[in-house]
Amino acid sequence: MTVAIIIRKNEEEFSNAQSPSSNMKQRKESKHNQNSPVKEIISKHVINFAKHAEEYENFINKFTHLIGVLGYGAFCFLLGARPQDIPCVYCLFYIFFVPLRWIYYKFKKLHYYLLDFCYYANAIFVVDLLFYPRNERLFMVCFSFAEGPLAWALIVWRCSLVFSSFDKILSVLVHLLPGIVFFTIRWWNPTTFESMYPEGSLQRATWPYVEDKSYLWTWLFLVPLVAYTLWQILYFLIVNVLLRQTLLRDPEVMTSYRELSKKAKKANNVWWRLSGLLGDQNRMLMFIFLQGIFTIATMTLTVPIFQSYELHALFQILKVSASVWNGGRFLLEVMPRQAMLKEKNKSERKHVQDQMD
C-alpha cells in the first residue's frame, strides 16, 4: 500500500515536470477566476464614468456655446471700437489656445495636424506682429498667407462656425482671424492712416509703400511661394522620413493627408480620383501637387485683394458667411445624425449591460 502511494506521487511529480505549460494554464485559470470580481467592479466603474462623461459633455457644449457667442459679440465690438487692438487679441489667442489644442490633439492622436501649413503660417504672423510690426515686406508675405491659402481653405474644406464645439471654433479662428487682423492693419488702423496721409500732403499715399507692380508680385506671390515650398519640403521629410515608422506602427495616429485621403476614399469624390491618376503608390505626390496648384492660385488672388478696399471687405464677408453657413449645415444635418448614432450605441450598451446583469 505504501509502495503504491509512493509510485503514484512519483508519477504525478514526473507528469508535472514533463508538462509545465499545463501548470501555467491552471495557474492562469485560477488567477482569472480570482480576478473576475475585480474586472466586474472595474467595468461597472468604467460604465458609470462614461455615463457621467456624457452628462458633462452636454454641459461643456452649452458652456462653450455661451462663451463662444459672448466672445464673438465682444470681438465684433472691439473690431469697430478699437481696431488697432485686434492684433494684440490675435496674439493672445494664438499663444494661449494653440498649446491647449496640442494637448487635446495629443489625447486624440491628432497632434501631427499642428505640422500643417496653417500653424506654420500663424507662427510667422505672431513673429511679425510682436517683433517686426513695421516691416512692410514681411507684412506683405503674411498678408499673402492669410488671405491666400488659409482664407480659401476655410471655404474649400468647409470649416464650420459652431459655437458649441471648442474644436470647430478654433479651426475657424486659425483660418479666419489672421485675414481680419491684416485687413484692419491695412485699412482701419489709425497708424496706417497716418502713413496714408503724410503731414503737409493732401494726397493719399499707400501703405505699405508699394513702388510698382513688380514689387507687389515679388512680395505677395514669389517670396510667399518660396516660403510655402520650404514648408512643404520640411513637412514631407518629417512625416515621410522621420515619422514613417511611428505612423506605420500606429494607424490610428492621424495626419492631414491620412484624414483627407480617408474621407475622399469614403466619398469617392473628385479629389480621390485626381490623386489616383498616377496610381495608388503615388497618391502622396499627387496630393502635394494638387495642394501646390491650390496655393499658387490663391496667392495670385491676393494681389488684387491687396489693392482694393472694396474687394478686400467683400472677401471678409464671404469668409464669415461661408463659415456660418457651414456651421448651420453641421447643426441641422450632421449633429442630428450624430445624436441618433449616439442614442443607438447607448441603447446597445444598455442591452449588453442588462444581459450581463
Side-chain angles (χ1 to χ4, degrees):
M1 187 71 178
T2 307
V3 175
I5 292 172
I6 293 172
I7 292 171
R8 194 178 297 117
K9 283 184 178 179
N10 290 333
E11 287 177 352
E12 288 177 358
E13 290 176 0
F14 179 77
S15 63
N16 291 337
Q18 290 294 324
S19 58
S21 60
S22 61
N23 291 336
M24 291 292 293
K25 285 183 180 179
Q26 289 175 0
R27 288 185 196 131
K28 286 182 179 178
E29 287 177 0
S30 63
K31 275 188 178 180
H32 177 74
N33 294 330
Q34 291 173 2
N35 294 334
S36 59
V38 178
K39 286 186 177 181
E40 288 180 2
I41 295 171
I42 293 173
S43 64
K44 286 183 180 180
H45 281 296
V46 169
I47 292 169
N48 291 330
F49 179 78
K51 290 180 180 178
H52 289 301
E54 289 180 357
E55 295 174 2
Y56 290 135
E57 182 183 3
N58 292 332
F59 172 77
I60 290 170
N61 289 338
K62 294 173 185 176
F63 182 75
T64 306
H65 181 82
L66 172 66
I67 298 300
V69 173
L70 294 178
Y72 183 77
F75 179 80
C76 291
F77 171 78
L78 193 64
L79 186 63
R82 294 186 60 84
Q84 65 271 23
D85 294 337
I86 294 298
C88 297
V89 173
Y90 163 75
C91 291
L92 289 174
F93 156 77
Y94 186 82
I95 293 170
F96 181 73
F97 283 105
V98 170
L100 291 179
R101 189 167 219 201
W102 183 87
I103 295 171
Y104 173 74
Y105 272 8
K106 181 69 175 177
F107 174 73
K108 302 284 286 185
K109 294 187 178 183
L110 303 173
H111 49 288
Y112 292 129
Y113 275 18
L114 271 71
L115 297 173
D116 288 353
F117 178 74
C118 55
Y119 295 98
Y120 168 81
N122 274 272
I124 296 176
F125 300 158
V126 172
V127 171
D128 172 50
L129 295 172
L130 292 180
F131 302 106
Y132 307 100
R134 300 302 299 167
N135 188 318
E136 65 176 38
R137 293 177 178 177
L138 183 58
F139 169 82
M140 294 174 75
V141 172
C142 293
F143 185 96
S144 179
F145 285 165
E147 297 296 52
L150 264 68
W152 287 99
L154 186 77
I155 299 170
V156 172
W157 304 123
R158 296 184 179 181
C159 294
S160 306
L161 185 59
V162 180
F163 291 116
S164 59
S165 173
F166 181 73
D167 187 53
K168 289 190 176 297
I169 290 175
L170 285 183
S171 294
V172 170
L173 292 180
V174 164
H175 294 86
L176 177 65
L177 201 53
I180 296 177
V181 169
F182 291 108
F183 174 82
T184 58
I185 294 174
R186 176 81 173 110
W187 306 107
W188 287 0
N189 196 323
T191 306
T192 308
F193 292 155
E194 293 176 4
S195 299
M196 285 181 169
Y197 295 95
E199 291 183 7
S201 174
L202 297 177
Q203 293 183 347
R204 174 173 172 169
T206 59
W207 189 91
Y209 300 107
V210 179
E211 298 171 2
D212 51 28
K213 293 286 185 181
S214 62
Y215 185 85
L216 269 178
W217 281 99
T218 298
W219 294 101
L220 285 175
F221 181 74
L222 292 178
V223 176
L225 189 59
V226 171
Y228 167 81
T229 305
L230 176 63
W231 165 81
Q232 186 67 82
I233 294 170
L234 290 173
Y235 182 87
F236 183 83
L237 292 175
I238 292 171
V239 173
N240 293 279
V241 178
L242 296 178
L243 300 175
R244 180 178 177 82
Q245 296 301 322
T246 302
L247 295 174
L248 288 175
R249 281 195 302 267
D250 192 352
E252 292 183 358
V253 175
M254 281 293 161
T255 62
S256 58
Y257 170 71
R258 274 188 172 182
E259 182 70 17
L260 290 173
S261 61
K262 181 181 176 182
K263 291 181 178 179
K265 183 179 180 180
K266 185 177 180 181
N268 195 24
N269 57 22
V270 63
W271 300 109
W272 180 253
R273 292 192 290 271
L274 286 174
S275 64
L277 290 177
L278 299 179
D280 289 338
Q281 69 276 10
N282 295 317
R283 284 189 184 276
M284 182 69 177
L285 295 177
M286 280 298 297
F287 178 77
I288 293 173
F289 176 72
L290 293 172
Q291 194 174 16
I293 293 176
F294 169 79
T295 303
I296 291 172
T298 54
M299 283 182 178
T300 303
L301 295 173
T302 60
V303 177
I305 289 174
F306 183 84
Q307 293 177 293
S308 171
Y309 171 77
E310 291 79 9
L311 191 59
H312 201 181
L314 286 174
F315 191 50
Q316 304 308 308
I317 296 172
L318 174 64
K319 291 188 295 182
V320 175
S321 300
S323 59
V324 173
W325 177 271
N326 292 330
R329 183 189 62 84
F330 181 84
L331 290 172
L332 297 176
E333 298 177 9
V334 179
M335 281 192 70
R337 290 199 300 266
Q338 291 181 347
M340 290 174 62
L341 184 61
K342 188 180 292 184
E343 288 296 325
K344 182 180 177 182
N345 293 334
K346 188 187 296 183
S347 62
E348 288 177 355
R349 287 198 304 267
K350 185 178 179 182
H351 180 67
V352 172
Q353 181 63 28
D354 290 341
Q355 287 184 340
M356 289 173 62
D357 293 338

